[in-house]
Amino acid sequence: MLRVARLGARQMSTATGRPNGSYRRFGRTIGTWMVGTAVLASAGYYVGKDEIDAFDHEEPASELHLSPGQQFKGLPIIEAESTGRERLVVLGSGWGAVAVLKTLDRDKYDVIVVSPDNYFIFTPLLPSATVGTVEFRSVLEGIRRITKRIRGAYVEASAVDVDFEAKCVLIEKPGEGRAWLPYDRLVVGVGAQSITRGTSGLEFCHKLKTILDARSIRQHIMANFEKVMLPTTPDDEKRRLLTFVVCGGGPTGCEFAAELHDLLAEDLKHYFPQSVRDMVRVVIVQSRDHVLNMMDSVISEFAERQFARSNITVVTNSRVQAITETSLRFSTKHEDGTVTEHEIPQGFVLWSTGVCLTPFTQLLCQKLPDYQKNKHAITVDAYLRVKGIRDGSVYALGDCATVEYPHLLEHINELFESAHHEGAEITRTELEMFVKNAALEFPCAAGHLQSLVDNFGHFDTNHNGTIDRSEFRSMLEYVDAKLTALPALAQVANQEGIYLGHVFNKLASLQVEHKSKDMSADRKRRSEEISVAPFTYHHHGTLAYLGRAAAADFGQGQTYKGSNLAAKYMWRSVYWSQQVSLRTRFLLMMDWIKELFFGRDLSKF
């Protein structure tokens, strides 16, 4: 039966058997939905009109081909139509890579995208796709649709090696051979892979990073419920099949648990008996003392209360030791320091516990051992250039990269000497001059350095109007504490991609000058640094869906939390506005309307 019918029936007056204004209220609800849909459609067309123009009028890029008679290291070289522009090769099709492509101006570069997947995934909605809240196609956008606006080419392959001296990247399509692809500028946005932490039995786990992962999870969930309904399945086996374990209490793990609860509470209850629903158990195993520990503690506590109301078990301060086909073993560390071992049956495990380098990014770092010492990501400078590349032609962004920030406290002696000119302490005027000069030397810390002047009175603990050495140390400690590694979030990669797109647009206008003056690599690099500003990350807040509830952390103690439909649709509206195309906006809108009226699709395919 339609959800609409059920909703309408509830509003009939039981006392008189006649409609008590319910039809009018129901009509207003439908009318509101229709008006809202029209507004969103109009807004979507306005935002996506450039995409429609590109789809209708832009010619696709020319076909790539192998250079006849030329090889490098015994393998063929890929050629493209010569236009006299620099060749920009983008590795990957994730948030960072797509943001670069959408920001680039037309006809500035010859763009070639290399990725094993010919689509972009809107990863924040992958948990929704695992339970049928949205369909798989609604969170995908073809890369060729994105590159068409800038007449970029696409190659369905993976990068397996790179030669920085020859400026070539080796690409491979399994079963189709290898070839070298030359570049003038290279953007590495290949993402990261799930970290294993030495746990055995991960072959029995699901991960949630690709659309194939989401499809596999959706099939597994429904397969378990259908097997439970077989008369030959014992009760103990039923309880095991209906025990869903999530390893990791970050945003992905918590949102999947919330979406799974919605599936149980809103759809499966209409098609499976109460005796089966009573056997369902959802468990989150978190290594820290709270879930969503990267967000404000207020949000973490709210999430745990919400999960408790939804009968989702949260086990904190626990580490997974081993996973088998039918069970999961973990250890819990208590406040007194004692450790206890636990083993629970499981019918489904999701592994969502952080990321690490992919084989290609590991290889890249190994080629630059003096500069790449971070074991978790490629180290880049404030301009997102890979450390160790002399001419600055290789960039990295997203989950596979981390910005190297300076440690000002290590330079306290020279910085303190450069700050004061008369006397042994720093005056406010001298501090202002120091901040101005230091911002040029450490551009990524410019904003935090300026806050030292704004909070002069706070650091002047003896209130004598000057800063002595110990107070100056406190200042540098404050700045160093602010310069922390950026989180592995979609908005970080998106901002980095937008930044690089604008940088490339600006640098394209400098190429004529560089060629006419025949500049060296060092002079070219310094010229580019003068022309562009360093990357600055602006945190716009972190969202988390918690099952008919949502929370947001905007930083500096500003939070939002709500356990009502308004919070749920606020969360949805934010992600709707962040879609990369008009097409996905319409598909999501239709999926959410379909889910409201007809529920989720429970088919197993």
Side-chain angles (χ1 to χ4, degrees):
M1 184 181 295
L2 297 180
R3 288 190 178 190
V4 174
R6 292 198 298 267
L7 292 171
R10 292 194 193 108
Q11 298 192 29
M12 297 291 291
S13 172
T14 56
T16 63
R18 293 176 297 175
N20 187 18
S22 60
Y23 288 148
R24 289 193 298 273
R25 289 194 297 273
F26 183 67
R28 286 196 296 268
T29 302
I30 296 298
T32 302
W33 264 98
M34 294 177 64
V35 171
T37 300
V39 171
L40 289 176
S42 301
Y45 174 79
Y46 178 79
V47 173
K49 62 182 184 298
D50 288 341
E51 175 196 345
I52 295 175
D53 291 340
F55 182 77
D56 289 339
H57 305 299
E58 291 294 332
E59 287 293 327
S62 301
E63 183 181 3
L64 301 177
H65 55 273
L66 297 180
S67 178
Q70 293 188 14
Q71 288 190 337
F72 179 66
K73 295 184 179 181
L75 294 172
I77 301 174
I78 297 175
E79 275 191 351
E81 180 182 356
S82 178
T83 62
R85 298 187 290 263
E86 281 194 336
R87 177 181 290 183
L88 174 64
V89 175
V90 180
L91 305 180
S93 57
W95 280 93
V98 166
V100 171
L101 299 174
K102 291 182 69 67
T103 310
L104 279 177
D105 292 339
R106 304 181 188 186
D107 302 324
K108 290 288 182 69
Y109 294 88
D110 293 333
V111 180
I112 301 178
V113 180
V114 179
S115 174
D117 302 317
N118 71 341
Y119 51 81
F120 162 79
I121 307 175
F122 192 85
T123 49
L125 289 179
L126 271 182
S128 298
T130 62
V131 298
T133 305
V134 299
E135 293 301 326
F136 303 118
R137 295 281 179 185
S138 302
V139 297
L140 302 179
E141 183 62 29
I143 283 297
R144 293 188 183 276
R145 293 177 64 94
I146 296 173
T147 60
K148 188 175 183 182
R149 181 187 64 84
I150 53 176
R151 297 198 65 191
Y154 167 73
V155 181
E156 188 179 61
S158 301
V160 294
D161 198 359
V162 61
D163 190 309
F164 296 121
E165 294 296 327
K167 285 193 170 184
C168 288
V169 60
L170 182 62
I171 63 174
E172 177 187 42
K173 172 74 173 178
E176 301 294 335
R178 296 181 170 190
W180 288 98
L181 177 61
Y183 65 84
D184 293 303
R185 297 184 187 272
L186 176 67
V187 177
V188 182
V190 296
Q193 62 183 6
S194 297
I195 194 169
T196 62
R197 302 186 188 277
T199 305
S200 62
L202 292 185
E203 64 270 21
F204 303 113
C205 300
H206 289 275
K207 298 172 184 176
L208 189 51
K209 295 185 71 66
T210 70
I211 203 67
L212 296 179
D213 293 337
R215 184 186 295 275
S216 176
I217 290 172
R218 187 166 172 180
Q219 291 173 340
H220 194 154
I221 292 172
M222 293 313 305
N224 282 13
F225 274 94
E226 295 299 345
K227 188 174 181 179
V228 164
M229 294 300 294
L230 293 175
T232 55
T233 306
D235 286 346
D236 288 345
E237 179 67 2
K238 291 180 180 180
R239 292 187 181 89
R240 183 190 71 81
L241 290 170
L242 296 182
T243 300
F244 300 87
V245 183
V246 179
C247 300
T252 300
C254 288
E255 290 188 347
F256 170 75
E259 291 283 359
L260 181 59
H261 170 264
D262 285 356
L263 174 68
L264 300 171
E266 298 174 0
D267 295 276
L268 295 183
K269 71 176 184 179
H270 299 298
Y271 304 100
F272 290 86
Q274 184 69 44
S275 58
V276 170
R277 302 201 303 272
D278 289 342
M279 296 182 185
V280 176
R281 184 185 181 195
V282 181
V283 181
I284 299 176
V285 180
Q286 167 69 328
S287 61
R288 303 294 184 88
D289 56 349
H290 288 288
V291 298
L292 299 176
N293 60 287
M294 75 294 298
M295 302 176 73
D296 192 283
S297 59
V298 174
I299 299 296
S300 298
E301 294 168 1
F302 171 74
E304 290 169 0
R305 291 195 302 271
Q306 186 67 26
F307 285 152
R309 286 195 291 268
S310 302
N311 293 322
I312 296 175
T313 303
V314 177
V315 182
T316 57
N317 295 316
S318 301
R319 289 190 176 274
V320 177
Q321 302 297 327
I323 303 167
T324 68
E325 191 173 2
T326 59
S327 66
L328 181 141
R329 180 164 53 85
F330 64 92
S331 60
T332 302
K333 186 175 182 179
H334 302 283
E335 293 183 357
D336 59 2
T338 59
V339 177
T340 57
E341 299 283 340
H342 306 272
E343 186 170 357
I344 59 174
Q346 59 83 13
F348 173 96
V349 179
L350 174 67
W351 186 264
S352 177
T353 59
V355 295
C356 62
L357 290 170
T358 65
F360 174 73
T361 50
Q362 288 179 8
L363 176 65
L364 186 152
C365 292
Q366 290 170 5
K367 289 177 176 289
L368 303 167
D370 295 335
Y371 301 91
Q372 299 295 329
K373 299 180 180 180
N374 191 306
K375 296 181 180 181
H376 303 287
I378 301 171
T379 304
V380 299
D381 64 12
Y383 302 91
L384 304 187
R385 298 174 303 197
V386 174
K387 299 283 289 185
I389 306 300
R390 181 177 177 183
D391 64 354
S393 61
V394 182
Y395 305 78
L397 75 173
D399 291 352
C400 70
T402 182
V403 179
E404 182 183 54
Y405 290 118
H407 297 286
L408 301 187
L409 197 59
E410 296 177 357
H411 309 280
I412 184 172
N413 293 329
E414 53 264 42
L415 291 177
F416 186 75
E417 292 299 324
S418 67
H420 69 88
H421 304 287
E422 297 180 2
E425 298 185 351
I426 304 172
T427 64
R428 187 183 186 94
T429 303
E430 289 174 337
L431 181 65
E432 292 174 352
M433 183 59 64
F434 162 77
V435 166
K436 183 177 180 180
N437 295 331
L440 298 177
E441 184 177 357
F442 308 103
C444 56
H448 301 303
L449 287 168
Q450 181 57 45
S451 67
L452 300 181
V453 178
D454 300 335
N455 296 281
F456 185 91
H458 172 76
F459 292 103
D460 181 18
T461 54
N462 56 12
H463 307 293
N464 65 349
T466 60
I467 299 295
D468 59 26
R469 191 181 186 85
S470 64
E471 293 168 341
F472 189 71
R473 171 181 286 273
S474 299
M475 285 183 163
L476 298 188
E477 289 175 346
Y478 168 80
V479 174
D480 283 350
K482 292 294 183 180
L483 295 175
T484 56
L486 298 177
L489 297 175
Q491 65 173 303
V492 174
N494 185 63
Q495 289 186 35
E496 289 175 338
I498 293 173
Y499 165 80
L500 272 187
H502 289 305
V503 167
F504 291 150
N505 291 336
K506 186 171 293 186
L507 295 182
S509 61
L510 298 177
Q511 299 312 310
V512 177
E513 178 183 351
H514 291 167
K515 291 179 180 179
S516 63
K517 295 182 179 180
D518 192 22
M519 301 175 67
S520 66
D522 289 338
R523 288 188 60 195
K524 179 180 177 181
R525 186 185 180 107
R526 286 194 296 269
S527 174
E528 292 179 354
E529 289 180 355
I530 294 173
S531 302
V532 300
F535 171 71
T536 303
Y537 171 64
H538 301 282
H539 187 62
H540 296 153
T542 305
L543 293 176
Y545 178 65
L546 303 172
R548 299 185 182 182
D553 182 2
F554 301 104
Q556 298 181 344
Q558 299 182 19
T559 62
Y560 166 82
K561 53 187 185 298
S563 54
N564 49 41
L565 284 178
K568 177 178 180 178
Y569 285 101
M570 179 275 295
W571 176 82
R572 287 184 174 183
S573 66
V574 170
Y575 285 146
W576 184 90
S577 67
Q578 293 177 348
Q579 293 301 303
V580 299
S581 73
L582 175 64
R583 169 188 162 276
T584 53
R585 287 188 178 94
F586 272 107
L587 289 177
L588 279 180
M589 194 161 49
M590 296 305 298
D591 284 347
W592 287 330
I593 293 175
K594 181 177 65 176
E595 184 264 333
L596 174 71
F597 283 88
F598 301 102
R600 297 169 178 83
D601 182 11
L602 303 183
S603 303
K604 180 172 72 73
F605 60 93

